[in-house]
Amino acid sequence: MVNKGYKPDVILCTKLIKGFLNARNVAKAVRVMAILESHGEPDVFAYNALISGFCKMNQIESANKVLHRMRNRGCLPDIVTYNILIGSLCSRGKLELAREVFSQLALYDCHPTVITYTILIDAIIVQGGIDEAMKLLKQMLSEELQPDMYTYNAVVRGMCKEGMVDQAFDFIMNLAELGCEPDEISYNILLRAFLSRGRWIDGERLIEKMISRSCEPNVVTYSILISSLCHDGKMKDAIAVLKTMMAKGLTPDAYSFDPVISALCKDGRLDLAIEFLDFMISNGCSPDIVNYNTILAALCKSGQAEEALEIFEKLSQTDSPPNVSSYNTMISGLWNSGDPKRALNMVSEMVDKGIDADQITYNSLISCLCRDAMVEEATELLVDMQNNGFKPTIISYNTMLLGLCKIHNIDTAIDILAVMVENGVRPNETSYILLIEGMAYSGWRAEAMELANSLVSIGVVSKDFFKRLNRTFPMINVYKNLSNSDIEK
């Protein structure tokens, strides 16, 4: 079109830029902007679309380059441009840089809006700075900007996070003086804070206040009550609240049912938990994958892997197809039930369906292989884990150490410990205990005691472990450097 003499339309180009960025096709989005810049007149909306796309993909440097190019072409950024940048920096934990951008707004004759302040207040609270957030709120009010409930709820959330629950209650009660009425979110944040601290009387008082102010409890309110009652072991009360909720015409969601199902599974009442799944479906609430995964994990843990497999195989026919957690549960469950072949088939099925393994998948398989003395295969999997971009954790390495020590392969265990340190994973007390006990059981008692003594002296391994080791492997004249008084300690 441009080659035929048409001038590119800025609105159409902006839509194209957004579309390509949503499809993560950065090259074409950049190409559209290049055509618009060379043959048309890009406006602030077009540049904002490109900057926003780069920020969402964490390409902050590219976003800044667009910002500089925008200024150089005489297209002045607006507050939306800066809000995009500040929001992106805040969401990535770069609060200091966000503050710098905020402080420079006046230089560009750009005035912060309610959104600008709210983004910063929210980010500051995440990092535990309620005092600084309150100063920003006062500054916002002094500039005659009226905060919305999203701003105030961020403050309430911050107060509760810092344990200032009573101050949060007073703050909510006095919001009317600031021209705002608390909404369901405000009350729910505070209710969760009260109940998590066991303050049921205050929670009931809050709900009364909520209703008296014409703010009816919603599904989330009831779900908080159900979850807290289940946590306190009050199952009958939780089910009663669930029934009350439904009697009031509210439809419970999967989040409402999950604490009940989890509590029933924890108590070993699996039949009743499965009945609850059926009850959910019959009442128009589709269980989500979290509900199903809770049941699968409980069945596998109780040795009922076959029953779990029956439910698992039906998941593809529901609105909640299995995810990586579902597969992890089944792989571990089938292996533990003595069926490693089907467990490995499950891994293949997972890959075929395009579900990427996560760190838990690798750690579970490494644990299973080590338990069955298949240490070579576990070592290969550890390497594969790194090649696929997953950094082995302390759990991964300790599992390998346990497997190697069980088969008395101490040389390789020491090599694994060295690799662990080289990869920046610091061994913990468990790592050293596994190695020391492995050495002792492999016949290297003197060396094990000497290593244990050295590690106790620098505080890496506890004296209690040393005493236990000494009782398990009693030896005479092994530790020449250890005095009788040290042994008594």
Side-chain angles (χ1 to χ4, degrees):
M1 288 174 67
V2 169
N3 290 338
K4 289 183 179 181
Y6 290 100
K7 184 179 179 180
D9 179 73
V10 66
I11 296 174
L12 174 63
C13 287
T14 302
K15 288 180 179 178
L16 275 172
I17 289 167
K18 287 180 179 179
F20 283 129
L21 288 169
N22 286 337
R24 303 189 72 81
N25 194 333
V26 181
K28 284 191 176 178
V30 170
R31 179 69 182 134
V32 171
M33 178 57 83
I35 294 169
L36 184 59
E37 286 179 331
S38 59
H39 295 89
E41 296 175 6
D43 60 11
V44 68
F45 300 103
Y47 280 115
N48 284 349
L50 190 58
I51 289 169
S52 176
F54 278 130
C55 286
K56 284 176 183 175
M57 286 181 277
N58 200 23
Q59 297 183 25
I60 307 298
E61 286 185 18
S62 298
N64 279 325
K65 285 178 183 176
V66 174
L67 181 67
H68 292 313
R69 196 165 76 240
M70 177 182 182
R71 287 195 190 116
N72 292 336
R73 290 179 62 88
C75 182
L76 294 178
D78 60 7
I79 191 58
V80 175
T81 318
Y82 291 110
N83 284 348
I84 291 166
L85 286 169
I86 291 169
S88 178
L89 290 167
C90 286
S91 66
R92 284 159 180 80
K94 298 179 179 179
L95 189 55
E96 288 306 316
L97 289 174
R99 283 196 187 100
E100 282 181 29
V101 175
F102 179 78
S103 64
Q104 291 170 6
L105 289 180
L107 299 175
Y108 300 112
D109 196 28
C110 214
H111 301 287
T113 62
V114 171
I115 294 171
T116 320
Y117 276 105
T118 303
I119 291 168
L120 268 178
I121 287 170
D122 211 6
I124 288 166
I125 283 168
V126 167
Q127 295 196 10
I130 187 64
D131 291 337
E132 189 183 348
M134 292 303 289
K135 285 178 186 175
L136 264 183
L137 182 64
K138 286 177 183 176
Q139 183 180 330
M140 185 178 178
L141 291 166
S142 70
E143 293 180 12
E144 297 185 355
L145 289 171
Q146 179 59 52
D148 56 20
M149 276 316 301
Y150 189 89
T151 317
Y152 287 127
N153 285 340
V155 173
V156 173
R157 196 177 290 109
M159 286 179 170
C160 291
K161 183 183 174 185
E162 294 293 313
M164 300 163 61
V165 186
D166 293 313
Q167 292 93 321
F169 177 81
D170 293 337
F171 184 79
I172 285 177
M173 292 301 111
N174 295 322
L175 274 181
E177 296 174 11
L178 298 171
C180 262
E181 279 294 332
D183 58 13
E184 295 96 337
I185 297 171
S186 321
Y187 288 111
N188 289 340
I189 292 167
L190 192 52
L191 180 64
R192 185 179 280 108
F194 275 137
L195 299 189
S196 67
R197 289 163 175 80
R199 294 173 61 174
W200 283 91
I201 294 172
D202 291 322
E204 288 170 9
R205 183 164 62 107
L206 182 70
I207 292 174
E208 287 171 5
K209 287 276 186 185
M210 183 180 183
I211 295 168
S212 70
R213 292 192 172 192
S214 302
C215 186
E216 286 296 317
N218 60 10
V219 172
V220 177
T221 316
Y222 283 104
S223 297
I224 292 167
L225 285 168
I226 292 164
S227 179
S228 300
L229 287 165
C230 288
H231 182 267
D232 289 357
K234 299 175 180 177
M235 286 298 298
K236 287 184 180 178
D237 293 335
I239 293 169
V241 170
L242 190 63
K243 289 178 179 176
T244 302
M245 176 184 181
M246 295 171 74
K248 287 184 176 287
L250 293 170
T251 304
D253 57 16
Y255 180 78
S256 313
F257 282 101
D258 192 56
V260 178
I261 292 169
S262 295
L264 289 170
C265 288
K266 191 177 178 182
D267 291 344
R269 299 159 72 183
L270 296 179
D271 291 343
L272 193 54
I274 292 168
E275 280 182 29
F276 254 93
L277 280 182
D278 295 333
F279 178 73
M280 285 175 72
I281 295 164
S282 63
N283 281 275
C285 175
S286 297
D288 64 11
I289 196 60
V290 176
N291 302 137
Y292 283 116
N293 286 346
T294 303
I295 297 282
L296 293 176
L299 286 167
C300 288
K301 190 177 179 181
S302 65
Q304 301 178 63
E306 288 297 330
E307 290 83 347
L309 193 58
E310 286 180 22
I311 294 173
F312 178 86
E313 287 173 346
K314 293 175 183 175
L315 285 182
S316 55
Q317 302 163 18
T318 69
D319 295 330
S320 303
N323 60 10
V324 65
S325 295
S326 319
Y327 277 100
N328 288 344
T329 299
M330 291 310 307
I331 290 164
S332 184
L334 288 167
W335 198 299
N336 292 337
S337 68
D339 199 344
K341 187 177 179 181
R342 271 205 291 182
L344 292 172
N345 287 341
M346 194 70 72
V347 177
S348 301
E349 181 187 313
M350 176 178 159
V351 172
D352 291 342
K353 289 190 175 180
I355 299 172
D356 294 327
D358 61 10
Q359 211 162 42
I360 296 172
T361 317
Y362 282 104
N363 284 340
S364 296
L365 283 169
I366 289 168
S367 177
C368 291
L369 289 165
C370 286
R371 203 181 309 124
D372 286 4
M374 300 168 70
V375 181
E376 284 186 22
E377 291 84 349
T379 307
E380 289 172 10
L381 197 60
L382 190 72
V383 173
D384 187 56
M385 182 180 183
Q386 288 177 295
N387 292 339
N388 282 294
F390 293 102
K391 187 178 178 182
T393 63
I394 188 72
I395 295 170
S396 319
Y397 286 113
N398 283 350
T399 304
M400 283 298 308
L401 287 172
L402 177 61
L404 289 163
C405 289
K406 275 176 71 176
I407 62 170
H408 301 166
N409 190 343
I410 304 304
D411 288 336
T412 308
I414 293 169
D415 291 340
I416 286 288
L417 193 71
V419 169
M420 182 178 178
V421 175
E422 285 170 13
N423 288 336
V425 180
R426 188 175 180 177
N428 58 13
E429 186 181 24
T430 303
S431 315
Y432 291 115
I433 287 173
L434 288 169
L435 186 60
I436 292 165
E437 288 185 339
M439 290 169 67
Y441 279 112
S442 299
W444 298 11
R445 295 190 179 190
E447 291 83 354
M449 289 298 185
E450 187 179 344
L451 178 59
N453 181 33
S454 300
L455 293 174
V456 168
S457 67
I458 59 172
V460 173
V461 172
S462 69
K463 290 181 180 180
D464 287 337
F465 164 70
F466 189 86
K467 288 177 184 177
R468 190 172 76 247
L469 188 71
N470 192 33
R471 285 195 298 271
T472 308
F473 302 101
M475 296 184 66
I476 302 170
N477 299 323
V478 169
Y479 6 77
K480 296 174 183 177
N481 297 326
L482 194 63
S483 67
N484 289 330
S485 59
D486 286 332
I487 296 171
E488 286 170 8
K489 289 177 186 176

